Amino acid sequence: MGRRFHGLSWQSQPRTASPAALLGHWEPSTAVSRDSELLKPNPSLPPAAPERIRCYSAPVAAEPFLSGTSSNYVEEMYYAWLENPKSVHKSWDIFFRNANAGAAPGTAYQSPPPLSTSLSALSQAQFLVQAQPNVDKLVEDHLIRGHHVAQLDPLGILDADLDSSVPADIISSTDKLGFYGLDESDLDKVFHLPTTTFIGGNESALPLREIIRRLEMAYCQHIGVEFMFINDLEQCQWIRQKFETPGIMPGSDRSLTLPSRFEEFLHRKWSSEKRFGLEGCEVLIPALKTIIDKSSEKGVDYVIMGMPHRGRLNVLANVIRKELEQIFCQFDSKLEAGSGDVKYHLGMYHRRINRVTDRNITLSLVANPSHLEAADPVVQGKTKAEQFYCGDTEGKKVMSILLHGDAAFAGQGIVYETFHLSDLPSYTTHGTVHVVVNNQVRSTSPAAWPSPRVLILPGNRPPPEPHIAGSRFQRLLPSRQVCYRRNGHNEMDEPMFTQPLMYKQIRKQKPVLQKYAELLISQGVVNQPEYEEEIAKYDKICEEAHARSKDEKILHIKHWLDSPWPGFFTLDGQPRSMTCPSTGLNEEDLTHIGQVASSVPVEDFTIHGGLSRILKTRGEMVKNRTVDWALAEYMAFGSLLKEGIHIRLSGQDVERGTFSHRHHVLHDQNVDKRTCIPMNHLWPNQAPYTVCNSSLSEYGVLGFELGFAMASPNALVLWEAQFGDFHNTAQCIIDQFICPGQAKWVRQNGIVLLLPHGMEGMGPEHSSARPERFLQMCNDDPDVFPKLDDFDVRQLYDCNWIVILLPFRKPLIIFTPKSLLRHPEARSSFDDMLPGTHFLRVIPDSGPAAQNPANVKRVLFCTGKVYYDLTRERKARQMEADVAITRVEQLSPFPFDLLQKEAQKYPNAELVWCQEEHKNQGYYDYVKPRLRTTINRAKPVWYAGREPAAAPATGNKKTHLTELQRLLDTAFNLDAFKDLA
């Protein structure tokens, strides 16, 4: 759209000359419709003022009394007049002079004679000079409004979706010439072209008739382009050059045969199967192929794609070139392993020769759930990772293409979240092609006027060449394809229930391939036998592939991987080992990492005084051979970087840390934007460390990091929530990708989620990472004690998400501390991290209770921060010999084997699960059945903790402390459960 103003109308003229008073008589005009807000030119007024004034939206700048004139515009005219009366149009000059002279209200403005009258009395030269601004405005209006009248809809009904109160568009008006103060006699007069236009080619002036013809060819045919909102002049001019330069359209393209006959074949063989076909938008396939071909010509080696389900099988077959028999297997074969997914959600990875450029190109289509836009950030993250690993810092080798349904593109917030990442330094992919498919129906409801501010391409109407041409310009702005959906929402739906008139029109439509063939035959480009031969040739290919597919009794999911990891697994997809290496480090490395973490490795770099104290404290801990959480994180990261493992930490405040504990990025206090990342100064040949504050997004950023982690198993990718509570806005990524990703798509992923969690009186939105939700989705059976060799590793391999350094990759969910970051007891010795040490799934009690276990009356099993509350209370009550406290560090997979040993160690003790979370939240519902399975249901497992509640936590500090004391009283009252036994 062009620039819009609120409708304003002149009511009366002030006697004073102050702009405030002048403007005080401007009030909003009534009944301003959606498009009538645009300023309309008045043929009775003189031509536009000089260029400085014509930059405003008003078609004729000397219109101070038009309904729709901006108050800012009037004020600017006034101040310009004060500086130099000749700098404004004569009508403004007269108005301001009269106003200053005290003219009565309503008399300051003097209407000039009609434009046609004034122009007719001029000489030819004078006429051309006076009319030139109007011609310039005619050119500008085609840029701004041309897409409204472009011939886009193959059904011819798109106008039905527009507001009926919108007046006829000026571009298509029958009185268009009169609208600009021109008439038929002026069509053969030659006018200079604006210096910013490209319609003239090598010519600087053209007859008015030719100017209008070329503008209509550029902006009012089968491609509509809306781009004047772009603030970057260079980008605007690039678009204008591509659309306005004569001869932009390519020659004929015959690639409609494959997508059309592919859908026809599927319909013929599996008429009762859902496949979400592309009928009605087959033109999408040659458009995508053109994008990929042109990208390959420009040096792109890798294209990563994301799309919803509609048309996915066609894209797999005819763009990525998946073997047809593998696609046909999806309709009949049995599944190899896992839960699998429906065929129109699957992705794949394929490297092949591009036939146009004769260059290798890798294509990856990312698997997608039914959440239509959920894969958008995943694709962007994977693209960023591939660019990172190949050193493509400008996005010239790896690029992404995202396909959208029009309703989802306009309606789902994740689209905006993904766009919002596009210019952040650690997230930009340097441009993405967005193709928006508008089939004029949103599931079962009609579509409104579709997504704004896009390149608009025609749908299934011949010829497809405009669509192909438009696809060449899409890396700069999204494109929208106006088409239709021949069937219902799926092939089993009856669309006539909800769109009877639209589908009556659709039923009349010939298939686009037939239409195009008839056009080419009529033009003599091909003949009927050639066309029929093409059809028969592709049909034979499909039939032969279908015959081969019947031999495939088992559906091998490995054929549908969208992100394979060459060399990481064996040829049959298994881990190369099933052992857990020690995660310990030698003392020299621990000391070295600690010293870097507590210093500034750059000269002449001034840090904040408060940070100096933090680094000093770290240095003292290193001398004492101890670490807190932040320093332990430094140790873990630093050791992996030494081994060549790239680490990427992302989130809303990760550089400093939400609780000001991390400080991985130091800022010079005297030089703006000068920073230092000490982690990148650890070793001479270390892997790079990326730590980046994200935008204020969880859904988009977690999806992005998931995609980044897909690209390589030899990287540690972490996303940290500002508070664990906030992960719920990213629940779709957790539920649809992270938890079931391997089961659905055989896609392993090592993404790590850091979720600060703890009941500390900070209210219901800053307390709980909702561990119960993650535990509910864990796939281990609570009623079965696993009988496994290599129990700990095998258990980890069989589960859906977890932990630590392994020969395979699983997502890891860590509930990280808040107050414990600075708790004096929450520290570890270097001795716990030396060679030969491992992650401890369970930490047994090591105090008096463990020395005389037969006398222990109660064992408290717990996890997290509550342990420190329990030990403090136990000490205060002098019950160290009566109550043992066992910490469960790995909740899932559940450590059956180690907890069985703990229960057997204390034969006479009650078993109690203690947690600070409410009973219907936290860990209890997950832990209780598994503990009972561990002890073969020999005794009860009691509960000590907060009562059930709807909210995660109270917002009242006093209530919080009361609840905490109540659970501690229950935990150490040895008679608490006698009446319940």
Side-chain angles (χ1 to χ4, degrees):
M1 291 290 188
R3 187 192 303 270
R4 296 188 177 205
F5 297 109
H6 295 292
L8 299 167
S9 58
W10 182 258
Q11 301 298 323
S12 62
Q13 178 187 310
R15 291 185 180 275
T16 175
S18 73
L22 284 170
L23 298 176
H25 291 270
W26 290 74
E27 298 178 359
S29 61
T30 58
V32 179
S33 70
R34 182 176 68 185
D35 280 14
S36 63
E37 294 178 69
L38 287 173
L39 301 181
K40 306 297 183 184
N42 187 338
S44 68
L45 295 179
E51 180 64 30
R52 196 176 83 80
I53 305 305
R54 286 196 297 107
C55 67
Y56 288 88
S57 169
V60 179
E63 299 173 12
F65 307 107
L66 282 174
S67 173
T69 302
S70 167
S71 58
N72 293 334
Y73 179 47
V74 176
E75 187 170 359
E76 182 146 346
M77 291 297 98
Y78 179 70
Y79 284 120
W81 177 80
L82 286 177
E83 292 178 10
N84 180 7
K86 294 183 179 180
S87 68
V88 301
H89 190 269
K90 188 66 175 176
S91 60
W92 283 110
D93 182 34
I94 294 171
F95 168 70
F96 289 131
R97 287 181 187 277
N98 290 341
N100 273 358
T107 63
Y109 174 65
Q110 296 178 8
S111 178
L115 181 63
S116 57
T117 304
S118 62
L119 291 182
S120 64
L122 299 174
S123 68
Q124 177 73 5
Q126 290 174 317
F127 171 85
L128 294 177
V129 172
Q130 292 283 14
Q132 185 67 49
N134 299 47
V135 175
D136 292 350
K137 186 57 191 171
L138 180 145
V139 173
E140 181 186 3
D141 284 342
H142 277 80
L143 272 64
I144 295 171
R145 309 279 300 166
H147 66 279
H148 281 285
V149 295
Q151 304 166 43
L152 303 172
D153 181 16
L155 302 179
I157 62 173
L158 191 60
D159 287 346
D161 293 329
L162 292 175
D163 187 342
S164 60
S165 68
V166 175
D169 197 279
I170 58 174
I171 300 300
S172 58
S173 170
T174 56
D175 189 30
K176 174 161 59 177
L177 291 176
F179 192 86
Y180 294 96
L182 304 164
D183 57 36
E184 294 285 337
S185 65
D186 301 321
L187 286 174
D188 294 319
K189 294 174 181 175
V190 177
F191 291 89
H192 287 286
L193 297 172
T195 57
T196 54
T197 189
F198 298 89
I199 61 172
N202 296 324
E203 301 174 82
S204 60
L206 289 172
L208 180 60
R209 186 189 309 276
E210 183 64 11
I211 290 174
I212 294 174
R213 188 191 72 82
R214 294 192 184 189
L215 287 171
E216 290 179 345
M217 288 297 296
Y219 294 112
C220 304
Q221 297 301 305
H222 297 302
I223 299 179
V225 58
E226 183 182 7
F227 67 99
M228 292 296 284
F229 62 90
I230 298 176
N231 294 323
D232 190 311
L233 179 61
E234 183 180 359
Q235 291 184 7
C236 284
Q237 288 301 99
W238 187 90
I239 295 171
R240 292 187 67 175
Q241 181 183 17
K242 298 300 181 183
F243 277 87
E244 294 178 1
T245 303
I248 191 65
M249 291 302 168
S252 295
D253 185 278
R254 304 189 194 181
S255 54
L256 282 173
T257 304
L258 276 62
S260 300
R261 297 307 296 177
F262 178 80
E263 297 293 351
E264 170 64 25
F265 184 84
L266 294 183
H267 178 71
R268 191 167 66 249
K269 294 293 185 181
W270 297 282
S271 59
S272 61
E273 284 268 3
K274 290 182 183 180
R275 54 186 168 81
F276 293 92
L278 200 59
E279 293 97 330
C281 193
E282 292 94 335
V283 177
L284 174 66
I285 301 303
L288 289 176
K289 291 169 70 176
T290 300
I291 293 169
I292 293 170
D293 292 344
K294 289 296 175 183
S295 300
S296 180
E297 283 182 10
K298 297 295 184 181
V300 171
D301 298 323
Y302 195 167
V303 177
I304 300 166
M305 301 172 61
M307 67 177 296
H309 46 274
R310 188 167 307 284
R312 178 176 284 257
L313 295 181
N314 209 316
V315 169
L316 284 166
N318 295 311
V319 176
I320 299 182
R321 301 204 180 279
K322 176 74 175 172
E323 299 93 334
L324 292 178
E325 54 265 37
Q326 288 295 329
I327 296 176
F328 299 155
C329 277
Q330 287 285 337
F331 289 90
D332 298 319
S333 299
K334 294 181 180 179
L335 192 64
E336 178 184 36
S339 66
D341 203 348
V342 290
K343 48 191 156 294
Y344 39 81
H345 285 175
L346 300 176
M348 72 160 294
Y349 169 100
H350 186 44
R351 184 167 178 81
R352 63 174 175 83
I353 294 289
N354 181 279
R355 298 175 182 174
V356 174
T357 61
D358 201 31
R359 297 179 67 247
N360 276 320
I361 190 162
T362 301
L363 302 173
S364 175
L365 178 61
V366 172
N368 195 59
S370 286
H371 301 66
L372 301 176
E373 300 291 337
D376 293 358
V378 179
V379 169
Q380 297 301 83
K382 179 173 168 57
T383 303
K384 182 66 177 179
E386 298 294 353
Q387 291 174 347
F388 175 84
Y389 293 126
C390 73
D392 182 16
T393 59
E394 297 180 355
K396 294 182 177 181
K397 296 293 183 182
V398 183
M399 65 173 285
S400 56
I401 301 175
L402 287 176
L403 281 71
H404 315 267
D406 185 75
F409 186 74
Q412 295 194 11
I414 187 58
V415 176
Y416 178 79
E417 289 192 38
T418 304
F419 269 101
H420 194 240
L421 297 172
S422 61
D423 279 337
L424 290 180
S426 295
Y427 300 86
T428 181
T429 57
H430 309 283
T432 298
V433 175
H434 293 267
V435 181
V436 184
V437 178
N438 173 25
N439 57 29
Q440 306 186 57
V441 181
R442 300 178 175 188
S443 189
T444 60
S445 61
W449 183 252
S451 314
R453 297 185 173 180
V454 292
L455 170 68
I456 309 170
L457 302 176
N460 271 28
R461 66 158 81 224
E465 284 83 357
H467 194 114
I468 309 300
S471 66
R472 301 181 183 202
F473 315 129
Q474 295 173 53
R475 205 167 186 191
L476 192 59
L477 74 168
S479 73
R480 174 167 57 80
Q481 302 171 354
V482 182
C483 53
Y484 60 88
R485 190 186 70 196
R486 183 167 289 278
N487 300 309
H489 176 60
N490 60 63
E491 285 70 23
M492 303 295 98
D493 251 358
E494 175 48 77
M496 295 287 284
F497 289 153
T498 50
Q499 284 85 40
L501 298 182
M502 175 184 286
Y503 272 85
K504 285 180 182 178
Q505 188 70 15
I506 290 174
R507 298 290 185 253
K508 298 176 185 177
Q509 298 292 314
K510 294 180 181 178
V512 66
L513 178 60
Q514 182 181 343
K515 285 184 181 181
Y516 190 42
E518 292 172 356
L519 177 66
L520 293 181
I521 290 170
S522 69
Q523 294 175 344
V525 178
V526 297
N527 56 42
Q528 186 69 28
E530 288 175 333
Y531 164 65
E532 293 175 355
E533 182 181 352
E534 283 289 313
I535 297 297
K537 180 180 177 181
Y538 187 73
D539 286 355
K540 181 181 178 183
I541 291 173
C542 290
E543 289 290 353
E544 291 174 349
H546 180 241
R548 290 193 299 272
S549 73
K550 293 182 178 179
D551 297 332
E552 297 282 347
K553 302 302 182 185
I554 302 296
L555 178 61
H556 298 288
I557 295 296
K558 65 184 179 182
H559 295 155
W560 296 86
L561 282 173
D562 55 13
S563 299
W565 293 339
F568 188 72
F569 297 109
T570 62
L571 293 178
D572 59 353
Q574 297 302 309
R576 294 190 175 274
S577 71
M578 286 298 288
T579 60
C580 257
S582 168
T583 55
L585 303 176
N586 61 58
E587 185 138 357
E588 291 76 13
D589 285 348
L590 291 172
T591 302
H592 172 68
I593 297 171
Q595 288 172 345
V596 173
S598 56
S599 62
V600 182
V602 178
E603 294 182 357
D604 299 324
F605 195 98
T606 305
I607 61 174
H608 190 275
L611 184 53
S612 296
R613 290 189 292 272
I614 292 174
L615 298 187
K616 182 179 179 181
T617 301
R618 284 184 185 171
E620 292 172 353
M621 281 194 293
V622 173
K623 292 178 181 178
N624 296 327
R625 301 182 69 253
T626 60
V627 297
D628 60 5
W629 179 276
L631 191 52
E633 182 182 72
Y634 230 107
M635 301 291 189
F637 287 4
S639 63
L640 290 174
L641 293 172
K642 183 181 181 181
E643 296 175 15
I645 304 296
H646 168 58
I647 299 176
R648 177 184 169 92
L649 174 61
S650 166
Q652 289 166 18
D653 198 12
V654 296
E655 295 179 5
R656 183 199 68 169
T658 299
F659 308 100
S660 195
H661 65 285
R662 182 174 287 127
H663 298 288
H664 283 189
V665 179
L666 308 181
H667 294 259
D668 194 313
Q669 299 296 298
N670 299 323
V671 182
D672 187 35
K673 297 182 180 178
R674 187 186 183 206
T675 60
C676 171
I677 302 176
M679 196 88 74
N680 279 324
H681 296 265
L682 285 169
W683 321 98
N685 298 311
Q686 69 173 71
Y689 174 54
T690 303
V691 55
C692 44
N693 288 343
S694 72
S695 61
L696 201 65
S697 158
E698 288 83 29
Y699 188 174
V701 174
L702 179 56
F704 188 99
E705 302 308 332
L706 177 80
F708 200 103
M710 284 167 52
S712 171
N714 300 313
L716 177 63
V717 181
L718 309 97
W719 173 75
E720 182 175 70
Q722 193 175 52
F723 283 84
D725 316 57
F726 301 164
H727 82 263
N728 56 6
T729 60
Q731 201 67 45
C732 179
I733 297 296
I734 295 168
D735 289 352
Q736 303 301 325
F737 290 86
I738 298 178
C739 173
Q742 183 173 356
K744 292 196 298 185
W745 305 319
V746 195
R747 176 206 286 165
Q748 292 197 7
N749 195 296
I751 183 75
V752 176
L753 276 61
L754 304 176
L755 306 177
H757 171 84
M759 314 293 280
E760 298 172 357
M762 298 182 70
E765 276 78 53
H766 295 80
S767 296
S768 177
R770 293 289 192 174
E772 66 276 5
R773 294 181 179 171
F774 292 94
L775 293 172
Q776 183 190 39
M777 291 187 284
C778 293
N779 65 349
D780 56 334
D781 191 332
D783 301 321
V784 176
F785 192 108
K787 292 180 171 55
L788 302 170
D789 297 328
D790 302 317
F791 189 98
D792 52 348
V793 182
R794 190 76 217 182
Q795 196 183 25
L796 294 172
Y797 180 73
D798 290 341
C799 74
N800 58 327
W801 46 14
I802 41 133
V803 166
I804 62 180
L805 181 64
L806 295 167
F808 43 85
R809 295 292 175 264
K810 303 277 182 171
L812 167 61
I813 315 300
I814 303 179
F815 301 109
T816 59
K818 295 184 292 187
S819 64
L820 294 188
L821 293 170
R822 295 178 175 83
H823 196 292
E825 295 180 24
R827 296 188 177 183
S828 296
S829 166
F830 277 18
D831 293 334
D832 299 327
M833 303 177 181
L834 294 176
T837 58
H838 292 76
F839 170 72
L840 300 178
R841 293 180 290 149
V842 170
I843 302 179
D845 196 315
S846 59
Q851 296 168 12
N852 195 357
N855 294 334
V856 171
K857 298 180 175 63
R858 177 174 292 177
V859 179
L860 296 177
F861 295 101
C862 67
T863 190
K865 180 179 72 69
V866 74
Y867 167 78
Y868 297 94
D869 296 320
L870 292 172
T871 55
R872 185 187 68 247
E873 187 72 12
R874 181 177 65 173
K875 183 177 181 180
R877 296 178 184 237
Q878 298 182 350
M879 299 180 68
E880 288 97 331
D882 298 322
V883 178
I885 302 176
T886 298
R887 284 181 277 177
V888 181
E889 295 293 293
Q890 177 184 297
L891 290 156
S892 178
F894 193 73
F896 288 96
D897 54 334
L898 299 181
L899 290 181
Q900 185 181 59
K901 294 177 181 178
E902 284 295 295
Q904 292 171 349
K905 185 193 300 182
Y906 305 102
N908 303 316
E910 291 180 319
L911 304 183
V912 178
W913 175 260
C914 183
Q915 65 180 37
E916 58 179 353
E917 296 81 4
H918 292 281
K919 189 175 184 179
N920 60 322
Q921 300 165 26
Y923 322 96
Y924 178 61
D925 286 340
Y926 176 85
V927 168
K928 180 181 177 180
R930 289 165 176 79
L931 265 179
R932 296 198 68 204
T933 298
T934 299
I935 61 174
N936 201 23
R937 296 169 178 79
K939 60 176 73 174
V941 176
W942 303 109
Y943 170 79
R946 286 177 166 87
E947 297 176 352
T954 178
N956 182 278
K957 186 71 172 181
K958 185 175 181 180
T959 302
H960 164 75
L961 294 174
T962 300
E963 291 175 346
L964 176 59
Q965 190 57 50
R966 187 182 299 129
L967 79 84
L968 293 174
D969 289 342
T970 303
F972 291 101
N973 180 1
L974 299 180
D975 296 326
F977 306 113
K978 283 188 176 180
D979 295 338
L980 302 175

